[in-house]
Amino acid sequence: MNISVVGTGYVGLVTGVCLSEIGHRVTCIDIDEAKVEKMNNGISPIYEPGLSELMTKNIEKDRLFFTTDHANGFYNADAVYIAVGTPEKEDGSADMKFVKQVAIDIAIDVSKDTVVVTKSTVPVGTNDKIKEVIQANLVNNVRIDVVSNPEFLKEGSAIEDSFNGDRIVLGSDSEYAANLIEEVNKGFGVPIYKTDIRSAEMIKYASNAFLATKISFINEIANICDRVNANVEDVAKGMGMDKRIGDKFLKAGIGYGGSCFPKDTKALIQIAGNVEYDFELLKGVVKVNQKQQALLLDKLNERFDSLEGKRIAVLGLAFKPNTDDMREAASIVITNNLIEQGAEVFGYDPIATDNAKTLLSDKMVYEGSVEAAVEGSDATLIITEWDEIKHVNLEVFRSMKYPLVIDGRNCFSLDKMKEVGIEYHSVGRPTDMKKKDYIL
Ligand SMILES: NC(=O)C1=CN([C@@H]2O[C@H](COP(=O)(O)OP(=O)(O)OC[C@H]3O[C@@H](n4cnc5c(N)ncnc54)[C@H](O)[C@@H]3O)[C@@H](O)[C@H]2O)C=CC1
Ligand SMILES: O=C(O)[C@H]1O[C@H](OP(=O)(O)OP(=O)(O)OC[C@H]2O[C@@H](n3ccc(=O)[nH]c3=O)[C@H](O)[C@@H]2O)[C@H](O)[C@@H](O)[C@@H]1O
């Protein structure tokens, strides 16, 4: 089929590339000229494992195209996918300005009957509004149907998730449209769940909110484990063996970041608030997460009287491994605070440094390796569990002024750190090391 995808961010580009991989002829549209130029030259504007290869392959097969021109991009499209951003507004609600603009673009430039498919995460009721805006501005006499098709991919494994997802959700009030988009998706071989539009929109928010709740829950348990000498990893494993609980998303750490959990939890609180419902549980989840992002700072401040002039190494800046995405990364809160306290901060990330430079303080110093960041520092903080960081030779910490590692992602075994003689603090895993055990 002929498909247009509007927006080529993490979701739009991955969607476009994967739809072309299963045989569709896909045109991706973006208003960002620099991005489109890059993609036309076969270069992915984002870091996502496997994406570049699949992109090049389908460009060469003549079934993947990029343009800034909406009319050209929509030409002959059986379906137009909306995959633009829905960022957080100041009050926490989702900003629909990009989605609304795309609805107007569609109304003006679509020239044949089209099914509009919303991939962007949008508040309940938005797809009905999208249809209204398109109908109200429609230039040509064509039929428009809408399908809510929320996206569940994770950054860092987006391609893998697209081909091996647990479900594809399609919400529509048009049987014809739902069937057409079901047909479009058949090639993924992923179970398809069809429902009404509003339930599909809610499935997306409810899923993200539930996953965020699991994370805040295990982080609260970790904080208690710290105080009662239990090990949260063993606790999570024991809990996860119960199939009703499941073993995923029970990794304690310094909270969730990224472009979605923080904004989608707040948006759902707003969605509930708009119908006079106080979503108390989710408010707690958000509050716990804010507290958790500051955990390493609390541990560091307990350890030093003052951070003035201290050299602190920060390993990992992205919000999670295998992505260059820095949106809502814990590193933002942590490095800003360290710098405010007068510390000199030396950061290292294998991939996200360029994006970090646009978001973090000008006072940050960026190093090209773990070794360079750590050498001569008073403390090392671990923020992102990149494989390269998890598998670093522990001897590297001996090049610090004093080997103190505060790990927000539980990267190392307590026994190993003890064996090497490193003062090691992690999350929810108390250590029995005494001062004499450390290398001084
Ligand atoms: N990033 C993720 O992992 C996931 C994101 N989502 C949701 O998907 C949506 C998109 O998210 P991202 O891909 O992260 O966004 P993004 O911010 O990375 O990309 C959005 C793209 O849309 C383009 N754009 C904006 N207005 C446009 C217009 N009128 N015409 C053409 N292009 C336009 C922008 O230039 C940008 O390249 C959001 O609603 C998000 O909540 C859902 C699941 C996963
Ligand atoms: O709507 C979205 O944008 C996406 O949001 C998340 O995907 P993503 O944000 O890419 O990454 P996750 O792997 O879910 O991690 C999110 C955050 O939670 C943290 N996390 C995750 C899992 C865990 O057990 N513990 C934990 O602290 C990660 O470090 C990261 O900061 C969801 O997992 C996707 O299903 C969803 O499509």
Side-chain angles (χ1 to χ4, degrees):
M1 262 181 251
N2 287 320
I3 293 171
S4 303
V5 180
V6 191
T8 59
Y10 290 85
V11 168
L13 183 55
V14 169
T15 300
V17 168
C18 291
L19 286 171
S20 69
E21 175 66 13
I22 57 170
H24 300 295
R25 188 181 186 279
V26 181
T27 307
C28 297
I29 308 166
D30 205 292
I31 45 172
D32 186 331
E33 289 180 9
K35 257 190 189 176
V36 171
E37 196 186 326
K38 263 191 173 175
M39 294 184 291
N40 272 327
N41 287 318
I43 302 164
S44 167
I46 52 169
Y47 175 82
E48 190 57 53
L51 180 62
S52 283
E53 294 80 347
L54 227 50
M55 205 176 124
T56 313
K57 175 180 161 195
N58 285 290
I59 291 173
E60 280 167 5
K61 292 208 162 179
D62 248 358
R63 53 188 189 208
L64 180 61
F65 307 88
F66 301 96
T67 180
T68 52
D69 179 350
H70 289 83
N72 175 21
F74 294 152
Y75 178 72
N76 224 9
D78 300 298
V80 173
Y81 279 62
I82 303 179
V84 293
T86 48
E88 185 181 325
K89 286 208 275 194
E90 250 177 40
D91 65 356
S93 64
D95 192 339
M96 286 298 114
K97 67 172 184 260
F98 300 114
V99 171
K100 197 170 169 200
Q101 181 56 50
V102 178
I104 292 168
D105 295 337
I106 291 172
I108 295 171
D109 287 323
V110 150
S111 53
K112 65 174 260 202
D113 293 354
T114 304
V115 176
V116 173
V117 183
T118 308
K119 275 261 159 199
S120 299
T121 303
V122 293
V124 181
T126 303
N127 276 279
D128 291 336
K129 285 196 194 129
I130 290 174
K131 192 167 179 180
E132 272 169 40
V133 172
I134 299 177
Q135 302 283 18
N137 294 281
L138 210 51
V139 170
N140 296 305
N141 184 21
V142 295
R143 172 181 167 164
I144 299 292
D145 288 290
V146 293
V147 173
S148 164
N149 172 210
E151 178 55 64
F152 300 102
L153 65 76
K154 301 185 291 304
E155 289 180 24
S157 57
I159 303 284
E160 159 85 17
D161 292 343
S162 299
F163 288 97
N164 300 290
D166 294 322
R167 78 304 205 188
I168 290 172
V169 171
L170 302 179
S172 188
D173 54 12
S174 151
E175 207 181 324
Y176 153 77
N179 288 344
L180 186 101
I181 302 309
E182 180 173 29
E183 198 52 42
V184 167
N185 283 286
K186 276 223 168 108
F188 288 120
V190 170
I192 291 176
Y193 178 60
K194 289 200 267 186
T195 179
D196 62 276
I197 297 181
R198 286 173 181 243
S199 303
E201 291 169 330
M202 185 55 114
I203 286 170
K204 175 63 195 175
Y205 278 106
S207 301
N208 272 4
F210 189 77
L211 293 170
T213 304
K214 268 188 119 173
I215 297 171
S216 279
F217 183 87
I218 200 67
N219 283 336
E220 288 278 73
I221 296 292
N223 295 338
I224 302 168
C225 282
D226 253 339
R227 289 160 174 80
V228 298
N229 279 336
N231 184 321
V232 72
E233 283 183 348
D234 293 349
V235 173
K237 195 167 176 192
M239 286 170 66
M241 289 167 85
D242 184 329
K243 289 189 190 69
R244 293 169 304 172
I245 297 173
D247 61 359
K248 306 278 191 304
F249 275 70
L250 285 179
K251 204 168 177 313
I254 44 172
Y256 56 78
S259 65
C260 290
F261 285 170
K263 88 170 163 65
D264 292 346
T265 43
K266 285 182 226 152
L268 185 50
I269 289 168
Q270 285 286 333
I271 292 167
N274 291 342
V275 287
E276 272 97 58
Y277 191 83
D278 186 13
F279 200 156
E280 285 181 83
L281 175 63
L282 198 54
K283 283 182 179 169
V285 168
V286 171
K287 202 165 151 202
V288 167
N289 196 57
Q290 280 156 357
K291 181 179 72 177
Q292 203 68 12
Q293 284 202 330
L295 185 72
L296 297 191
L297 294 166
D298 297 342
K299 290 190 185 237
L300 197 62
N301 284 318
E302 257 170 45
R303 186 62 180 65
F304 291 102
D305 290 336
S306 159
L307 295 181
E308 186 71 44
K310 291 275 183 296
R311 179 179 166 137
I312 312 291
V314 171
L315 300 184
L317 300 169
F319 83 94
K320 64 181 258 187
N322 299 322
T323 180
D324 58 351
D325 201 341
M326 283 289 299
R327 290 179 283 187
E328 301 281 336
S331 62
I332 302 172
V333 175
I334 292 170
T335 57
N336 280 342
N337 183 289
L338 291 174
I339 286 166
E340 265 168 37
Q341 293 193 60
E344 291 168 25
V345 186
F346 292 74
Y348 169 68
D349 190 283
I351 296 287
T353 305
D354 285 346
N355 286 342
K357 283 181 183 164
T358 65
L359 276 173
L360 303 186
S361 160
D362 294 345
K363 294 195 174 133
M364 282 286 297
V365 178
Y366 298 93
E367 297 289 356
S369 65
V370 171
E371 288 76 9
V374 159
E375 192 178 354
S377 59
D378 295 281
T380 293
L381 304 186
I382 297 177
I383 308 235
T384 321
E385 68 277 32
W386 285 94
D387 270 348
E388 183 188 334
I389 293 169
K390 282 199 310 201
H391 298 126
V392 74
N393 183 342
L394 298 181
E395 294 296 321
V396 72
F397 298 118
R398 288 180 189 272
S399 69
M400 296 170 62
K401 261 189 219 139
Y402 169 81
L404 166 63
V405 176
I406 307 184
D407 181 357
R409 298 293 179 188
N410 290 353
C411 290
F412 305 117
S413 109
L414 295 174
D415 289 344
K416 270 266 165 57
M417 290 305 247
K418 187 170 182 177
E419 202 181 298
V420 185
I422 291 162
E423 181 178 345
Y424 182 54
H425 305 270
S426 54
V427 183
R429 300 187 306 167
T431 155
D432 60 356
M433 283 180 80
K434 306 281 177 307
K435 246 223 142 81
K436 65 177 175 42
D437 297 326
Y438 309 137
I439 295 171
L440 289 167

Short mmCIF file of all heavy atoms in Angstrom, two decimals, residues 6-12 29-32 35 70 83-86 98 101-102 105 119-121 151-155 204 259-260 263-264 327, ligand 1:
data_model
loop_
_atom_site.label_atom_id
_atom_site.label_comp_id
_atom_site.label_asym_id
_atom_site.label_seq_id
_atom_site.Cartn_x
_atom_site.Cartn_y
_atom_site.Cartn_z
N VAL A 6 3.86 11.36 8.80
CA VAL A 6 4.19 12.76 9.08
C VAL A 6 4.93 12.84 10.41
O VAL A 6 4.41 12.45 11.45
CB VAL A 6 2.92 13.64 9.13
CG1 VAL A 6 3.32 15.12 9.16
CG2 VAL A 6 2.01 13.34 7.97
N GLY A 7 6.16 13.37 10.36
CA GLY A 7 7.03 13.42 11.55
C GLY A 7 8.02 12.28 11.47
O GLY A 7 7.64 11.11 11.31
N THR A 8 9.32 12.63 11.52
CA THR A 8 10.33 11.57 11.42
C THR A 8 11.22 11.56 12.66
O THR A 8 12.44 11.53 12.58
CB THR A 8 11.21 11.73 10.17
OG1 THR A 8 11.84 13.01 10.24
CG2 THR A 8 10.42 11.62 8.90
N GLY A 9 10.58 11.60 13.83
CA GLY A 9 11.34 11.46 15.08
C GLY A 9 11.54 9.98 15.36
O GLY A 9 11.53 9.14 14.45
N TYR A 10 11.70 9.64 16.64
CA TYR A 10 11.96 8.25 17.03
C TYR A 10 10.83 7.34 16.56
O TYR A 10 11.06 6.23 16.10
CB TYR A 10 12.15 8.15 18.55
CG TYR A 10 13.44 8.79 18.99
CD1 TYR A 10 13.52 10.16 19.24
CD2 TYR A 10 14.60 8.04 19.10
CE1 TYR A 10 14.72 10.75 19.60
CE2 TYR A 10 15.81 8.62 19.46
CZ TYR A 10 15.86 9.98 19.71
OH TYR A 10 17.04 10.57 20.05
N VAL A 11 9.59 7.83 16.65
CA VAL A 11 8.46 6.98 16.27
C VAL A 11 8.21 7.02 14.76
O VAL A 11 8.09 5.97 14.12
CB VAL A 11 7.18 7.41 17.04
CG1 VAL A 11 5.95 6.76 16.46
CG2 VAL A 11 7.32 7.03 18.49
N GLY A 12 8.15 8.24 14.19
CA GLY A 12 7.81 8.36 12.77
C GLY A 12 8.82 7.67 11.87
O GLY A 12 8.44 6.92 10.95
N ILE A 29 7.40 12.50 5.82
CA ILE A 29 7.38 13.96 5.67
C ILE A 29 7.84 14.60 6.97
O ILE A 29 7.38 14.20 8.05
CB ILE A 29 5.94 14.44 5.38
CG1 ILE A 29 5.34 13.66 4.21
CG2 ILE A 29 5.90 15.95 5.14
CD1 ILE A 29 3.83 13.82 4.09
N ASP A 30 8.72 15.59 6.87
CA ASP A 30 9.09 16.35 8.06
C ASP A 30 9.29 17.81 7.66
O ASP A 30 9.73 18.09 6.54
CB ASP A 30 10.35 15.79 8.72
CG ASP A 30 10.41 16.11 10.22
OD1 ASP A 30 10.58 17.32 10.56
OD2 ASP A 30 10.25 15.20 11.04
N ILE A 31 8.98 18.72 8.61
CA ILE A 31 9.17 20.15 8.31
C ILE A 31 10.63 20.56 8.52
O ILE A 31 11.03 21.65 8.12
CB ILE A 31 8.27 21.04 9.20
CG1 ILE A 31 8.32 20.57 10.66
CG2 ILE A 31 6.84 21.05 8.68
CD1 ILE A 31 7.62 21.49 11.63
N ASP A 32 11.41 19.69 9.13
CA ASP A 32 12.82 20.01 9.41
C ASP A 32 13.66 19.67 8.17
O ASP A 32 13.95 18.50 7.89
CB ASP A 32 13.24 19.18 10.64
CG ASP A 32 14.65 19.51 11.12
OD1 ASP A 32 15.47 19.92 10.27
OD2 ASP A 32 14.90 19.36 12.32
N LYS A 35 16.91 17.63 8.58
CA LYS A 35 16.65 16.20 8.82
C LYS A 35 16.35 15.49 7.50
O LYS A 35 16.89 14.41 7.23
CB LYS A 35 15.41 16.06 9.71
CG LYS A 35 15.69 15.74 11.15
CD LYS A 35 14.39 15.38 11.86
CE LYS A 35 14.66 15.28 13.35
NZ LYS A 35 13.45 15.03 14.12
N HIS A 70 4.26 18.46 2.01
CA HIS A 70 3.12 17.63 2.42
C HIS A 70 2.30 17.13 1.23
O HIS A 70 1.94 15.95 1.18
CB HIS A 70 2.22 18.41 3.39
CG HIS A 70 2.85 18.60 4.74
ND1 HIS A 70 3.74 19.61 5.00
CD2 HIS A 70 2.74 17.90 5.90
CE1 HIS A 70 4.14 19.53 6.26
NE2 HIS A 70 3.55 18.50 6.82
N ALA A 83 2.77 11.17 13.34
CA ALA A 83 3.78 10.75 14.34
C ALA A 83 4.59 11.95 14.81
O ALA A 83 5.80 11.86 15.01
CB ALA A 83 4.69 9.67 13.74
N VAL A 84 3.91 13.08 14.99
CA VAL A 84 4.62 14.28 15.49
C VAL A 84 4.60 14.28 17.01
O VAL A 84 3.89 13.51 17.64
CB VAL A 84 3.97 15.58 14.93
CG1 VAL A 84 4.19 15.68 13.43
CG2 VAL A 84 2.49 15.65 15.26
N GLY A 85 5.38 15.16 17.60
CA GLY A 85 5.53 15.21 19.05
C GLY A 85 4.27 15.74 19.73
O GLY A 85 3.51 16.52 19.15
N THR A 86 4.06 15.29 20.98
CA THR A 86 2.97 15.81 21.82
C THR A 86 3.60 16.20 23.16
O THR A 86 3.35 15.55 24.18
CB THR A 86 1.86 14.76 22.00
OG1 THR A 86 2.47 13.49 22.37
CG2 THR A 86 1.07 14.56 20.73
N PHE A 98 1.23 20.52 17.36
CA PHE A 98 1.81 19.87 16.16
C PHE A 98 0.77 18.95 15.50
O PHE A 98 0.65 18.91 14.28
CB PHE A 98 3.06 19.07 16.52
CG PHE A 98 4.16 19.92 17.11
CD1 PHE A 98 4.56 19.75 18.43
CD2 PHE A 98 4.79 20.90 16.35
CE1 PHE A 98 5.56 20.54 18.98
CE2 PHE A 98 5.79 21.70 16.90
CZ PHE A 98 6.17 21.52 18.22
N GLN A 101 -1.75 21.00 13.63
CA GLN A 101 -1.20 21.50 12.36
C GLN A 101 -1.20 20.41 11.30
O GLN A 101 -1.55 20.66 10.14
CB GLN A 101 0.24 22.03 12.59
CG GLN A 101 0.90 22.59 11.34
CD GLN A 101 0.08 23.71 10.69
OE1 GLN A 101 -0.34 24.65 11.36
NE2 GLN A 101 -0.16 23.60 9.38
N VAL A 102 -0.87 19.19 11.70
CA VAL A 102 -0.87 18.08 10.72
C VAL A 102 -2.30 17.84 10.22
O VAL A 102 -2.51 17.60 9.02
CB VAL A 102 -0.27 16.79 11.32
CG1 VAL A 102 -0.32 15.66 10.30
CG2 VAL A 102 1.17 17.01 11.76
N ASP A 105 -2.79 20.30 7.64
CA ASP A 105 -1.99 19.93 6.44
C ASP A 105 -2.73 18.84 5.64
O ASP A 105 -2.79 18.89 4.43
CB ASP A 105 -0.61 19.39 6.85
CG ASP A 105 0.27 20.45 7.53
OD1 ASP A 105 0.03 21.64 7.30
OD2 ASP A 105 1.21 20.05 8.27
N LYS A 119 -0.40 7.82 15.51
CA LYS A 119 0.63 7.08 16.27
C LYS A 119 1.04 7.89 17.50
O LYS A 119 1.48 7.33 18.50
CB LYS A 119 1.89 6.90 15.40
CG LYS A 119 1.86 5.73 14.49
CD LYS A 119 2.65 4.57 15.09
CE LYS A 119 2.21 3.28 14.48
NZ LYS A 119 2.57 2.12 15.26
N SER A 120 0.99 9.22 17.35
CA SER A 120 1.38 10.08 18.48
C SER A 120 0.52 9.73 19.69
O SER A 120 -0.63 9.33 19.54
CB SER A 120 1.14 11.55 18.12
OG SER A 120 1.89 11.92 17.00
N THR A 121 1.10 9.92 20.87
CA THR A 121 0.35 9.68 22.11
C THR A 121 -0.53 10.90 22.37
O THR A 121 -0.01 12.00 22.59
CB THR A 121 1.32 9.45 23.28
OG1 THR A 121 2.17 8.35 22.94
CG2 THR A 121 0.59 9.18 24.57
N GLU A 151 1.65 3.80 19.81
CA GLU A 151 2.94 3.12 19.62
C GLU A 151 3.49 2.67 20.97
O GLU A 151 3.45 3.41 21.94
CB GLU A 151 3.92 4.11 18.95
CG GLU A 151 5.30 3.58 18.72
CD GLU A 151 5.28 2.27 17.93
OE1 GLU A 151 4.84 2.31 16.76
OE2 GLU A 151 5.68 1.23 18.47
N PHE A 152 4.05 1.45 20.99
CA PHE A 152 4.58 0.92 22.25
C PHE A 152 6.08 0.64 22.20
O PHE A 152 6.63 0.03 23.11
CB PHE A 152 3.83 -0.37 22.63
CG PHE A 152 2.36 -0.16 22.82
CD1 PHE A 152 1.44 -0.53 21.85
CD2 PHE A 152 1.88 0.44 23.98
CE1 PHE A 152 0.08 -0.32 22.02
CE2 PHE A 152 0.52 0.66 24.17
CZ PHE A 152 -0.39 0.28 23.18
N LEU A 153 6.76 1.10 21.14
CA LEU A 153 8.21 0.78 21.04
C LEU A 153 9.00 1.47 22.15
O LEU A 153 8.59 2.49 22.69
CB LEU A 153 8.75 1.18 19.67
CG LEU A 153 8.78 2.65 19.24
CD1 LEU A 153 9.91 3.44 19.90
CD2 LEU A 153 8.91 2.75 17.74
N LYS A 154 10.15 0.88 22.45
CA LYS A 154 11.09 1.47 23.40
C LYS A 154 12.29 2.00 22.62
O LYS A 154 12.73 1.35 21.67
CB LYS A 154 11.60 0.44 24.41
CG LYS A 154 10.52 -0.22 25.23
CD LYS A 154 11.10 -1.13 26.30
CE LYS A 154 11.79 -2.39 25.77
NZ LYS A 154 11.01 -3.28 24.91
N GLU A 155 12.80 3.15 23.01
CA GLU A 155 14.01 3.63 22.35
C GLU A 155 15.16 2.68 22.69
O GLU A 155 15.23 2.12 23.78
CB GLU A 155 14.33 5.06 22.81
CG GLU A 155 13.33 6.03 22.24
CD GLU A 155 13.59 7.46 22.66
OE1 GLU A 155 14.74 7.79 23.00
OE2 GLU A 155 12.63 8.25 22.65
N LYS A 204 -2.89 3.42 25.69
CA LYS A 204 -1.51 3.95 25.63
C LYS A 204 -1.13 4.61 26.95
O LYS A 204 -0.10 4.30 27.56
CB LYS A 204 -1.39 4.94 24.47
CG LYS A 204 -0.05 5.64 24.39
CD LYS A 204 1.07 4.66 24.14
CE LYS A 204 2.42 5.28 24.42
NZ LYS A 204 3.53 4.35 24.32
N SER A 259 11.45 10.62 26.93
CA SER A 259 10.49 11.56 26.36
C SER A 259 9.06 11.19 26.70
O SER A 259 8.15 11.95 26.41
CB SER A 259 10.66 11.58 24.84
OG SER A 259 10.32 10.32 24.31
N CYS A 260 8.83 10.03 27.30
CA CYS A 260 7.43 9.63 27.45
C CYS A 260 6.90 9.40 28.86
O CYS A 260 5.89 9.99 29.23
CB CYS A 260 7.15 8.43 26.56
SG CYS A 260 7.18 8.95 24.83
N LYS A 263 6.26 12.71 30.76
CA LYS A 263 5.18 13.56 30.22
C LYS A 263 3.84 12.83 30.21
O LYS A 263 2.81 13.44 30.49
CB LYS A 263 5.55 14.09 28.83
CG LYS A 263 5.18 13.23 27.65
CD LYS A 263 5.37 13.95 26.33
CE LYS A 263 5.38 12.98 25.16
NZ LYS A 263 4.14 12.25 24.92
N ASP A 264 3.85 11.53 29.92
CA ASP A 264 2.56 10.82 29.81
C ASP A 264 1.90 10.61 31.17
O ASP A 264 0.66 10.61 31.27
CB ASP A 264 2.75 9.48 29.08
CG ASP A 264 3.11 9.68 27.60
OD1 ASP A 264 2.96 10.82 27.11
OD2 ASP A 264 3.55 8.72 26.95
N ARG A 327 16.14 13.54 26.59
CA ARG A 327 14.95 14.18 27.15
C ARG A 327 14.63 13.61 28.54
O ARG A 327 14.57 12.41 28.72
CB ARG A 327 13.76 13.99 26.18
CG ARG A 327 13.94 14.82 24.91
CD ARG A 327 12.80 14.62 23.94
NE ARG A 327 12.87 13.37 23.22
CZ ARG A 327 12.05 13.04 22.20
NH1 ARG A 327 11.11 13.88 21.83
NH2 ARG A 327 12.19 11.90 21.58
N1 LIG B 1 10.03 8.43 21.52
C1 LIG B 1 9.43 7.30 21.80
O1 LIG B 1 10.06 6.32 22.15
C2 LIG B 1 7.93 7.15 21.70
C3 LIG B 1 7.12 8.24 21.42
N2 LIG B 1 5.76 8.08 21.34
C4 LIG B 1 4.91 9.23 20.99
O2 LIG B 1 5.08 9.47 19.58
C5 LIG B 1 5.02 10.85 19.30
C6 LIG B 1 6.29 11.29 18.57
O3 LIG B 1 7.38 11.15 19.46
P1 LIG B 1 8.90 11.28 18.96
O4 LIG B 1 9.07 10.46 17.73
O5 LIG B 1 9.75 11.01 20.14
O6 LIG B 1 8.93 12.83 18.54
P2 LIG B 1 10.14 13.72 18.00
O7 LIG B 1 10.00 15.01 18.67
O8 LIG B 1 11.40 12.94 18.06
O9 LIG B 1 9.78 13.90 16.43
C7 LIG B 1 8.69 14.64 15.94
C8 LIG B 1 9.00 15.08 14.51
O10 LIG B 1 7.84 15.69 13.94
C9 LIG B 1 8.25 16.76 13.09
N3 LIG B 1 7.09 17.65 12.84
C10 LIG B 1 6.46 18.51 13.69
N4 LIG B 1 5.43 19.12 13.07
C11 LIG B 1 5.36 18.62 11.80
C12 LIG B 1 4.52 18.84 10.68
N5 LIG B 1 3.48 19.70 10.70
N6 LIG B 1 4.76 18.17 9.52
C13 LIG B 1 5.82 17.30 9.45
N7 LIG B 1 6.65 17.05 10.47
C14 LIG B 1 6.44 17.70 11.64
C15 LIG B 1 9.38 17.39 13.87
O11 LIG B 1 10.20 18.19 13.02
C16 LIG B 1 10.10 16.14 14.41
O12 LIG B 1 11.10 15.69 13.51
C17 LIG B 1 4.77 11.53 20.64
O13 LIG B 1 3.40 11.71 20.82
C18 LIG B 1 5.29 10.53 21.65
O14 LIG B 1 4.65 10.64 22.90
C19 LIG B 1 5.15 6.87 21.51
C20 LIG B 1 5.91 5.76 21.78
C21 LIG B 1 7.36 5.79 21.87
#
